[in-house]
Amino acid sequence: MNAATPRRRRMSRPERERQMLEVAEAVFAERGFRAASMDEIAERCGVSKPMLYEYFGSKDGLLLACVARSQAELHEVTQKAIAGATTPRDILWRGMVAYLSFVDSHSRSFTMLVDEPLSSPPETAAAIEDIRRQQSGLISGVLATFAADAPPAVVEAYTEIIIGAAERLSLWRTRRPEVPVEEAARYITDFCWTGLRPYLDEPVTGEAVTDEAVTGGPVTGGGEDRPAPR
């Protein structure tokens, strides 16, 4: 190497781990879990296969690390999405747009994990359920705050309805990518609002939703005065 040749910067461990997870998610999405090989993932990363095993232990461990990263990212984007929301419906709108947009950016891996669960290791189903429970806690906290008089069973039921509807709508959009995120968000917001409206006490328009009200931020969101899709 002569003086004119730039020296490649060595990646830190967090940077290398992030690269491995990004490449692994792409390979799992393209090939499916069973057909994906650690050799291909290592080659695309420019590392040795033993290094992959050093970081994640196994192919199962690598997939679970991908799921855990997605769980953390989803929690973060839904929290940010509802910041400054002024009404329960605005929370529904903003969070739903964030959720659908997140799935868009991970659409192939999302389909593999949710629509083809038998192709993944058994632990993956538990990891996916952890994500649902995470989102369930966010949603139920918001519903309990804004629908203080609703019976606990109503809060629990609508929480499950929102989670299930959001997941199925996301899968539908992987087959109908021409449907804009905002239009799909409008469908689920309108649907949920019809049932939830009798239980919700909306704050005065312009009153921002507090961090305590959202207990960390829900999965779904909806702007009350946004135009309906054409």
Side-chain angles (χ1 to χ4, degrees), residues 99 103 106-115 167 170-171:
Y99 178 86
V103 172
H106 301 269
S107 59
R108 295 177 68 181
S109 54
F110 175 83
T111 302
M112 180 197 74
L113 290 170
V114 177
D115 218 17
E167 194 169 288
S170 298
L171 284 172

Side-chain angles (χ1 to χ4, degrees), residues 17-96:
E17 183 172 318
R18 183 166 56 251
Q19 179 210 27
M20 291 175 173
L21 290 173
E22 288 171 355
V23 170
E25 182 179 332
V27 174
F28 288 141
E30 292 167 16
R31 311 280 189 217
F33 175 75
R34 296 196 182 282
S37 74
M38 296 290 268
D39 290 297
E40 180 178 2
I41 295 169
E43 183 178 353
R44 289 200 197 183
C45 290
V47 301
S48 66
K49 187 163 71 170
M51 181 178 283
L52 275 181
Y53 283 101
E54 178 188 337
Y55 274 65
F56 302 106
S58 65
K59 189 168 77 166
D60 288 12
L62 181 53
L63 178 62
L64 290 173
C66 289
V67 174
R69 187 178 76 138
S70 292
Q71 179 177 3
E73 289 177 353
L74 178 58
H75 189 270
E76 182 179 2
V77 299
T78 51
Q79 279 186 311
K80 288 181 178 179
I82 57 103
T86 56
T87 66
R89 187 168 180 134
D90 198 33
I91 290 177
L92 285 171
W93 167 264
R94 292 181 187 222
M96 197 65 244

